Amino acid sequence: MTTSTPPAHDTTPPQPRTGQAPPPLKRADFRERFQQDFRDPRFADEAADALDRIEAIAWRNYDEGRKAPRTRKAGPGYADPDYELSVDWIDTKERIDAARTRWADKAAPPRALPVCGSARNDGTCPGEISKSWRLLNMARDTLAGAQIEVDLLDLSRVTSDYGRHIHPCKGCVSTAMPLCHIPCSCYPNHATRQTGDWMNEIYERFTAAHGVMIVTPVYWYQTPSPLKLMIDSLVCADGGNPDPTSTHGKKATEAKALELAGWDYPKHLAGRAYALAVHGDVAGIEMTRRGLSDWLDWMGFIDAGPNARLDRDTAMQPEVRGAAQALAVAITELRAGRLVQPDAAVRRPRPK
């Protein structure tokens, strides 16, 4: 009897497929796009050549793909210490590391991060605060009453603050997990004027929190766009690569080789407690809440119990206070080591 030897598995990383992106803007089209920010007649009072000079610099940066104009060598602790890393990225990484140290410090006060998922506030067109904001402040008071330090994150500020952005996730993880850096290195991209990403602050705030509570309405059977933008950008916290020098920036073939060699998909935010309160007037609350629960469960967050996972269309106020109380208890139990993820040691057969 003979046995056949199975064919050797090809570990050569496949080449990236290309051809979807449109060609770069031509000079005249770039100028038209650039001038869109200066339609206000007040800018006409400025000398025309001043804007022309600024536009010429912006064109040069775009044409040369000048993504990160300020860099320095990565230094010790990175796969390639001589690689030039973005100063913006290094600053965010250092703040995240400091937040992680604080989170792990048993002597530091417990911290909760209540998140308002609504896009509405009284500084925008509606001229009125959102229901989510009112509910979240009830939760904040409950948490503060339990001696939990509260850091309130209001995502509606992307609709009311000047220059406030959460840029869309570019889906690097779908090419290879190691290509998705934590913090995200897709932004800022100065060449394309994709700067000022609020996620650089939000990563730090999630890392420092011992518990998270999301209060959100339902928009057309889905989460509001500011909340979804944040969720997508947090993909780097679930298996992301903390060392961009290991892929020399965005070198897809290097990232694929790392993943094929075996990637451990580190869960950078695992071990935090969570609570949810999803509200709506018509339909979609149950599936929206389930989607958020599934996302947080996958990330390694620990739910604070059935009373902390709400989907309601009426009588929300007492339940939200109860959810905040449940989260406060869960944070206390986590910090004392009495609440653990039951399957934390079980490796997923399909990490991503």
Side-chain angles (χ1 to χ4, degrees), residues 139-162:
R140 178 195 61 186
D141 294 343
T142 299
L143 289 163
Q147 308 305 307
I148 306 290
E149 190 176 280
V150 177
D151 174 23
L152 201 154
L153 174 59
D154 182 9
L155 295 177
S156 75
R157 291 177 60 185
V158 299
T159 68
S160 61
D161 286 9
Y162 178 81

Side-chain angles (χ1 to χ4, degrees), residues 68 70-72 84-93:
R70 297 169 61 244
T71 63
R72 70 169 174 81
E84 292 288 332
L85 271 180
S86 163
V87 171
D88 296 312
W89 186 90
I90 292 172
D91 177 66
T92 302
K93 176 66 162 54

Side-chain angles (χ1 to χ4, degrees), residues 282-305:
V282 181
I285 51 176
E286 296 91 348
M287 66 182 186
T288 300
R289 198 276 305 158
R290 283 195 295 269
L292 290 170
S293 293
D294 288 350
W295 164 60
L296 290 162
D297 289 340
W298 181 277
M299 293 264 287
F301 282 67
I302 304 170
D303 73 76

Side-chain angles (χ1 to χ4, degrees), residues 103-131:
W103 170 79
D105 182 1
K106 297 295 185 182
R111 175 179 288 194
L113 181 70
V115 180
C116 179
S118 175
R120 179 165 65 108
N121 69 41
D122 54 320
T124 60
C125 304
E128 185 178 14
I129 63 175
S130 66
K131 301 179 186 72

Side-chain angles (χ1 to χ4, degrees), residues 47-63:
D49 60 346
L51 275 179
D52 287 342
R53 289 194 301 270
I54 297 298
E55 187 269 341
I57 295 171
W59 162 255
R60 182 182 174 191
N61 291 344
Y62 171 79
D63 190 46

